[in-house]
C-alpha cells in the first residue's frame, strides 16, 4: 500500500532534521577555519536548502488550507455550526483542565481546607453553646432573669391596665376621684385654659 503525501512529507521532514543535526555536528567537529571559497559554497548550499524548505512550507500551507476548507464544507453539510464547535471546544477545555494534575491538587487542597474550616466552626459553635448554657445555669444570670421578668410583668400589667380603661375621660375621672379621696374629699380644680381674644 502506497504512503500518503502527508506520510512522505513527514519522512522528508525527519530526513531534513537529521541532515541539519549532522551538518551542525560536522561544523562543531571541524573547527578548522574555512577559506573564503568554502564559505561562499556553504552559503550557496544553505540558500538552496532554505529555498527548498520555504517551498515545502508554502506547499504545506496550501494543502492545509484546502483541508481546512474541505473540513468546513463537511461540517456545514452535517449541520455543525461554529457555535456548536465553540461549545464543544469549551467543554473539552474544561474537561482537560479538570483532569489536569494541578487542578486535582488544588481541588484536593480546597476540599481539605473546607473540611478543616467546617470542623473549626463546629468546635467554636459547640464551645459558645456550652458557655451560654453554663452562663444560664449560673446564679447571677438567674437573679438577673428574675429581675427582668418582674420588671416585664409590672410593665405588662400597667400597659394592660391602661388598655382596659374605656376612654381617656373615664380614666381622668377615676384619677380625679382618687385624688379627691386622698385630699380629704376636696375636688382639685384643673387650671383654666386661657383663650386669646
Amino acid at each position: 500500500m502506497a504512503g500518503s503525501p502527508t506520510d512522505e512529507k513527514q519522512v522528508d521532514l525527519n530526513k531534513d532534521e537529521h541532515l541539519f543535526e549532522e551538518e551542525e555536528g560536522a561544523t562543531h567537529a571541524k573547527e578548522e577555519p574555512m577559506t573564503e571559497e568554502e564559505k561562499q559554497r556553504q552559503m550557496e548550499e544553505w540558500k538552496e536548502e532554505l529555498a527548498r524548505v520555504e517551498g515545502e512550507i508554502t506547499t504545506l500551507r496550501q494543502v492545509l488550507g484546502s483541508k481546512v476548507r474541505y473540513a468546513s464544507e463537511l461540517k456545514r453539510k452535517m449541520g455543525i455550526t461554529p457555535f456548536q464547535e465553540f461549545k464543544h471546544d469549551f467543554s473539552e477545555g474544561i474537561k482537560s483542565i479538570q483532569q489536569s494534575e494541578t487542578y486535582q491538587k488544588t481541588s484536593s487542597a480546597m476540599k481539605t481546607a473546607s473540611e478543616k474550616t467546617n470542623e473549626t466552626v463546629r468546635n467554636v459553635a459547640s464551645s459558645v453553646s456550652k458557655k451560654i448554657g453554663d452562663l444560664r445555669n449560673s446564679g447571677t444570670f438567674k437573679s438577673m432573669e428574675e429581675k427582668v421578668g418582674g420588671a416585664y410583668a409590672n410593665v405588662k400589667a400597667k400597659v394592660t391596665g391602661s388598655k382596659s380603661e374605656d376612654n381617656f375621660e373615664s380614666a381622668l375621672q377615676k384619677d380625679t376621684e382618687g385624688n379627691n379621696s386622698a385630699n380629704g374629699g376636696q375636688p382639685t380644680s384643673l387650671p383654666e385654659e386661657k383663650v386669646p381674644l
Side-chain angles (χ1 to χ4, degrees):
M1 187 165 149
S4 68
T6 308
D7 292 339
E8 290 174 11
K9 291 195 183 298
Q10 184 63 37
V11 171
D12 286 344
L13 289 174
N14 290 339
K15 185 175 75 174
D16 290 344
E17 288 176 10
H18 291 300
L19 179 66
F20 178 73
E21 289 171 0
E22 288 173 8
E23 287 178 357
E24 194 175 73
T27 305
H28 288 299
K30 169 176 131 179
E31 294 286 330
E32 299 175 17
M34 296 174 74
T35 64
E36 197 60 38
E37 187 178 295
E38 289 173 335
K39 287 181 184 178
Q40 195 67 18
R41 188 172 35 85
Q42 184 69 50
M43 287 297 275
E44 289 299 322
E45 286 177 14
W46 287 343
K47 284 181 184 177
E48 289 173 9
E49 186 66 21
L50 179 61
R52 184 182 67 78
V53 170
E54 286 178 341
E56 288 176 359
I57 290 171
T58 303
T59 304
L60 289 173
R61 282 185 180 150
Q62 291 170 347
V63 170
L64 181 62
S66 68
K67 296 284 184 184
V68 168
R69 284 190 296 278
Y70 183 61
S72 297
E73 182 66 24
L74 289 175
K75 288 177 185 177
R76 187 185 61 76
K77 288 179 181 178
M78 292 170 60
I80 299 173
T81 64
F83 179 72
Q84 288 172 326
E85 282 186 82
F86 172 76
K87 196 165 109 178
H88 178 265
D89 290 346
F90 185 75
S91 65
E92 288 298 315
I94 294 294
K95 281 182 188 175
S96 68
I97 288 171
Q98 289 175 342
Q99 293 170 354
S100 72
E101 186 178 337
T102 305
Y103 180 85
Q104 296 294 330
K105 285 180 181 178
T106 304
S107 176
S108 175
M110 292 295 286
K111 184 177 179 184
T112 303
S114 174
E115 289 171 355
K116 287 181 179 179
T117 302
N118 289 340
E119 183 180 339
T120 302
V121 168
R122 279 193 299 271
N123 290 341
V124 167
S126 173
S127 175
V128 167
S129 176
K130 185 175 185 262
K131 294 286 184 190
I132 289 174
D134 292 345
L135 181 64
R136 278 193 171 168
N137 293 331
S138 71
T140 307
F141 185 81
K142 286 188 178 191
S143 71
M144 181 183 272
E145 187 177 34
E146 288 171 3
K147 288 178 184 176
V148 170
Y152 173 74
N154 289 339
V155 169
K156 184 177 178 185
K158 286 182 181 179
V159 169
T160 306
S162 68
K163 285 186 180 179
S164 67
E165 301 293 337
D166 293 337
N167 58 27
F168 179 73
E169 291 296 325
S170 63
L172 183 62
Q173 188 177 9
K174 286 182 183 178
D175 186 47
T176 305
E177 289 171 3
N179 284 339
N180 284 343
S181 61
N183 291 335
Q186 295 179 356
T188 58
S189 62
L190 293 174
E192 290 183 19
E193 190 174 318
K194 295 184 180 179
V195 179
L197 297 172

